[in-house]
């Protein structure tokens, strides 16, 4: 992780305000990605249940989340005596490898952008209307905005291969026209594209709420630190779904980058305590 600014570094103390609580499923995925994936080792059911209970879930809910993760092809069980341990499947590892890059780039000002846009014009035949929802979700994840009906734009031209794969999966390649280029003096400006293409006011509010919530986060002790760490990272992981990660040239002093740097500071400070506590739990629970 990049070294965060000292200005954003958190201080020790007591927890005064909670972070937003996710579902048992989303927090389980965060646990697996933050604590299990880096070790390359299986994890005991009892360890996962302990952490999920510490995050406020009943034991039955925790066990259901684990079972559903297994049913989704994310975890592979192995019984050892009366206990069960879980190994991450290649499917989940791939999700972590691709998703983590997007999360870690939230603090990047993308100052290397040269003004080139990737544009898609897609029409969805009536017979393929079910593809609309996954297409829009995939394009949003890739950072595309929709400033005009049917037109999708992103400054992230490096994501062309990702978009091509999405279109192939949805069988929409023959219904899509794509090109790259700069915005000319004809038509709407880059500022207008940003204003029309993304709901940044709502996103800005979400980031400001996350910043305010972090003002009261001061965990004491290994368990409190572990639970606060998982909640914070889980919230961080939701933002790439809605943040297009526009370059500094298009969106100067974006609050999202400041929030991401602050989360990175917490994460770096807490990591030694969190990983040490997790190692203790996975032996003793």
């Amino acid at each position: 992780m990049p070294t965060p600014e000292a200005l954003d570094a958190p201080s020790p103390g007591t927890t005064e305000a909670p972070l937003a609580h996710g579902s048992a499923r989303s927090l389980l995925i965060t646990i697996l990605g933050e604590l299990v994936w880096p070790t390359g080792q299986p994890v005991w059911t009892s360890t996962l249940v302990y952490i999920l209970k510490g995050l406020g879930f009943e034991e039955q809910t925790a066990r259901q989340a684990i079972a559903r993760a297994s049913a989704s092809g994310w975890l592979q069980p192995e019984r050892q005596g009366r206990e069960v341990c879980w190994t991450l499947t290649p499917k989940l590892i791939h999700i972590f490898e691709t998703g983590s890059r997007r999360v870690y780039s939230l603090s990047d000002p993308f100052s290397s952008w040269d003004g080139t846009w990737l544009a898609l014009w897609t029409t969805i035949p009536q017979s393929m209307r079910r593809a609309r929802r996954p297409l829009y979700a995939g394009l949003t994840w890739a950072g595309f905005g929709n400033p005009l009906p049917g037109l999708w734009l992103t400054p992230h031209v490096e994501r062309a291969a990702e978009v091509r794969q999405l279109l192939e999966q949805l069988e929409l390649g023959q219904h899509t026209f794509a090109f790259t280029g700069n915005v000319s003096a004809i038509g709407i400006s880059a500022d207008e594209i940003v204003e029309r293409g993304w709901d940044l006011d709502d996103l800005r509010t979400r980031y400001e709420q996350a910043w305010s919530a972090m003002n009261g986060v001061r965990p004491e002790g290994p368990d409190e630190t572990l639970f606060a760490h998982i909640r914070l990272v889980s919230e961080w992981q939701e933002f790439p779904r809605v943040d297009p990660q526009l370059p500094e040239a298009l969106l100067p002093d974006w609050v999202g980058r400041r929030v991401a740097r602050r989360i990175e500071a917490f994460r770096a400070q807490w990591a030694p305590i969190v990983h040490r506590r997790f190692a203790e739990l996975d032996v003793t629970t």
Side-chain angles (χ1 to χ4, degrees):
M1 296 294 292
T3 303
E5 290 87 342
L7 178 64
D8 286 336
S11 302
T14 59
T15 302
E16 298 174 357
L19 292 166
H21 291 274
S23 66
R25 174 184 176 277
S26 66
L27 288 166
L28 172 63
I29 296 304
T30 301
I31 294 166
L32 297 174
E34 275 292 287
L35 304 179
V36 181
W37 179 40
T39 71
Q41 299 297 319
V43 59
W44 295 108
T45 301
S46 53
T47 302
L48 298 176
V49 169
Y50 180 92
I51 298 173
L52 285 168
K53 286 175 68 176
L55 292 167
F57 298 98
E58 298 290 337
E59 180 170 340
Q60 182 179 359
T61 302
R63 291 184 179 275
Q64 286 175 345
I66 297 168
R68 288 170 181 166
S70 177
S72 296
W74 295 340
L75 294 174
Q76 179 67 41
E78 179 183 341
R79 183 168 293 279
Q80 296 188 14
R82 299 180 61 183
E83 282 282 346
V84 176
C85 62
W86 301 90
T87 301
L88 308 189
T89 64
K91 177 181 178 180
L92 185 59
I93 291 173
H94 176 70
I95 291 172
F96 288 153
E97 288 173 344
T98 56
S100 62
R101 289 194 293 269
R102 195 66 51 83
V103 172
Y104 298 153
S105 66
L106 283 171
S107 62
D108 184 358
F110 193 11
S111 55
S112 62
W113 186 56
D114 63 1
T116 303
W117 296 80
L118 171 60
L120 298 178
W121 190 284
T122 301
T123 57
I124 302 177
Q126 183 65 17
S127 61
M128 303 177 69
R129 60 187 181 276
R130 291 185 178 178
R132 182 174 289 108
R133 183 172 180 178
L135 173 66
Y136 292 178
L139 291 178
T140 300
W141 168 254
F144 280 79
N146 185 209
L148 293 169
L151 177 64
W152 293 83
L153 291 170
T154 181
H156 290 280
V157 295
E158 76 279 3
R159 296 175 186 171
E162 175 184 337
V163 175
R164 181 171 59 249
Q165 183 179 17
L166 172 67
L167 293 168
E168 289 174 354
Q169 289 173 345
L170 298 175
E171 300 181 347
L172 289 172
Q174 296 301 312
H175 303 282
T176 301
F177 175 69
F179 63 91
T180 59
N182 297 328
V183 176
S184 72
I186 302 172
I188 65 176
S189 66
D191 288 344
E192 289 175 300
I193 289 173
V194 172
E195 183 177 352
R196 296 187 191 186
W198 294 274
D199 185 0
L200 296 178
D201 288 339
D202 181 66
L203 182 56
R204 184 179 290 105
T205 298
R206 288 184 58 180
Y207 271 125
E208 289 171 349
Q209 290 171 343
W211 183 278
S212 296
M214 284 188 285
N215 287 338
V217 177
R218 295 191 178 36
E220 290 185 339
D223 273 6
E224 275 196 23
T225 304
L226 170 61
F227 303 146
H229 180 97
I230 294 301
R231 290 193 187 101
L232 187 67
V233 173
S234 184
E235 182 153 334
W236 186 28
Q237 291 169 343
E238 291 300 312
F239 282 112
R241 302 177 187 276
V242 289
D243 189 337
Q245 298 169 270
L246 298 177
E248 183 80 19
L250 293 174
L251 204 60
D253 195 30
W254 174 234
V255 62
R257 288 188 282 273
R258 286 186 275 118
V259 168
R261 287 194 295 268
R262 195 177 187 196
I263 292 174
E264 289 171 358
F266 276 105
R267 186 172 182 264
Q269 177 178 314
W270 293 343
I273 299 170
V274 167
H275 290 288
R276 184 165 57 246
R277 180 56 177 150
F278 174 72
E280 294 170 353
L281 289 171
D282 209 38
V283 172
T284 61
T285 53

